[in-house]
Amino acid sequence: MPLIHRSTLPRDLASMMLSMSLRRAARHVPEVWRRIPSVVVFVAPEGMRTAYRDALYETYDTARHPRDTAVVSYEDAVEAKRLMERERGGLVTRMAAVVDDESILPDGADLYVDAVVRVERPTREHIRAAALSIYGRRLLDSEVALIERAKIAQVRGAFRLGRPLARAIALLRSALEREDQRSAAQASPALRDGPTLDDLHGLGDAGEWGRDLARDLDDWRAGRITWAEVDRGILLSGPPGTGKTTFAAALARSCRAHFVAGSLSKWQAHGHLGDFLRAMRRAFEEAKKNAPSILF
């Protein structure tokens, strides 16, 4: 497989991380590397469709081949069908389409698409390699964890071209700390003023797990551990009135996390199955938007 020459790679940290991630994901897809007339769909991680679309401009070298190469981004099925029909009838012979979810592709797309490539977020190895290439030194584990936690837009802003590495890391750490403080300040008064796990007694194993989670989240915020090292789930069991919701709210206060409380009966109250599923998805979307969250 021919590789992109180093001189053609983007030189800022965020772009290089994304480029490395794309090259790894598409390493066995010849249509990407050999200028074969093709349509390749890239399924991006949640919230990173735009970032990977921009990285594909570099990968497909659209600056040198603007007439026969297109990079497009599909947000929904209607847009996907419209853009796919337009490109099919035009002069474009190579197309990279970026989506959040493969299911939005229109009917018949399987006949039109040559390959589907699922792209993951840049790994710690990508972060280390990109930083070593640009700055000439190996990052500390805490620095890698900090970058891994940040959004790509934050990495792009902090590690702009020409800024010293130490300064970029300090700015990113400050930005993430301010973000944590804003999240804590925006918590509802009821959540801020209620008991924490330390105020409740008789929690047993659940309390011990919750305090461990709070410590893990503090370590994650400080960049000492990665998100993958955080224990992210527990099953609570017990009849009504035993304090499951109280425990979950106290856990959120101890973790300085957003709290989302859902239930089967609350979601079911919206109506038929479609309304139930939409209500359930809204709860998950709220949790993701305000991450880190405790979703009960």
Side-chain angles (χ1 to χ4, degrees):
M1 179 191 77
L3 296 177
I4 299 175
H5 191 272
R6 174 172 288 189
S7 64
T8 69
L9 282 171
R11 301 308 299 170
D12 69 280
L13 183 67
S15 297
M16 188 173 283
M17 286 161 43
L18 292 167
S19 179
M20 289 178 172
S21 176
L22 275 173
R23 286 194 292 158
R24 177 174 177 78
R27 62 194 183 279
H28 299 310
V29 184
E31 290 86 352
V32 176
W33 307 106
R34 297 179 186 166
R35 294 199 52 77
I36 299 171
S38 59
V39 174
V40 180
V41 173
F42 292 83
V43 184
E46 183 179 1
M48 298 185 69
R49 176 166 48 87
T50 300
Y52 273 109
R53 180 202 62 194
D54 295 343
L56 278 166
Y57 287 125
E58 181 74 26
T59 303
Y60 270 69
D61 199 5
T62 55
R64 284 203 303 168
H65 307 283
R67 295 191 177 185
D68 67 348
T69 304
V71 174
V72 297
S73 175
Y74 298 157
E75 188 169 358
D76 55 45
V78 174
E79 184 185 33
K81 184 174 182 180
R82 178 177 60 80
L83 284 172
M84 196 168 280
E85 290 290 344
R86 189 196 73 187
E87 302 300 347
R88 191 180 332 196
L91 299 176
V92 170
T93 58
R94 297 180 76 226
M95 180 169 147
V98 191
V99 300
D100 294 315
D101 185 347
E102 189 181 347
S103 67
I104 72 169
L105 295 176
D107 292 341
D110 53 333
L111 298 175
Y112 186 56
V113 172
D114 295 287
V116 175
V117 178
R118 288 170 181 79
V119 187
E120 302 297 331
R121 290 181 61 90
T123 65
R124 306 191 94 195
E125 288 69 30
H126 294 145
I127 295 170
R128 290 184 190 280
L132 183 61
S133 176
I134 296 171
Y135 298 103
R137 86 154 170 87
R138 295 184 181 279
L139 294 178
L140 303 175
D141 288 346
S142 60
E143 295 169 338
V144 174
L146 192 74
I147 296 168
E148 185 182 39
R149 176 194 165 191
K151 301 179 182 68
I152 284 294
Q154 292 173 317
V155 177
R156 199 182 300 279
F159 293 84
R160 64 171 176 77
L161 291 174
R163 177 173 283 162
L165 177 59
R167 174 67 174 156
I169 290 170
L171 286 170
L172 182 61
R173 181 175 284 112
S174 296
L176 293 178
E177 287 173 354
R178 288 194 300 272
E179 197 173 80
D180 291 339
Q181 291 166 2
R182 282 195 299 270
S183 296
Q186 289 169 358
S188 68
L191 185 59
R192 288 199 303 267
D193 299 338
T196 66
L197 293 177
D198 291 336
D199 298 319
L200 301 178
H201 302 285
L203 296 176
D205 291 342
E208 199 170 314
W209 178 87
R211 284 184 280 273
D212 284 343
L213 176 62
R215 284 190 289 270
D216 280 352
L217 285 173
D218 284 341
D219 286 342
W220 171 73
R221 289 184 177 104
R224 290 188 286 269
I225 64 173
T226 68
W227 184 248
E229 295 173 276
V230 178
D231 188 357
R232 300 188 295 280
I234 189 174
L235 174 65
L236 293 175
S237 175
T242 53
K244 298 186 295 295
T245 304
T246 300
F247 167 80
L251 175 64
R253 295 184 196 101
S254 296
C255 293
R256 295 183 291 122
H258 186 75
F259 181 53
V260 182
S263 70
L264 186 67
S265 59
K266 182 189 292 187
W267 295 333
Q268 194 88 53
H270 287 268
H272 59 70
L273 179 60
D275 295 321
F276 169 85
L277 293 174
R278 276 191 290 274
M280 184 173 68
R281 288 193 191 103
R282 279 196 294 271
F284 279 85
E285 287 165 3
E286 180 186 347
K288 290 175 183 175
K289 181 180 178 181
N290 296 282
S293 297
I294 300 298
L295 174 59
F296 175 67

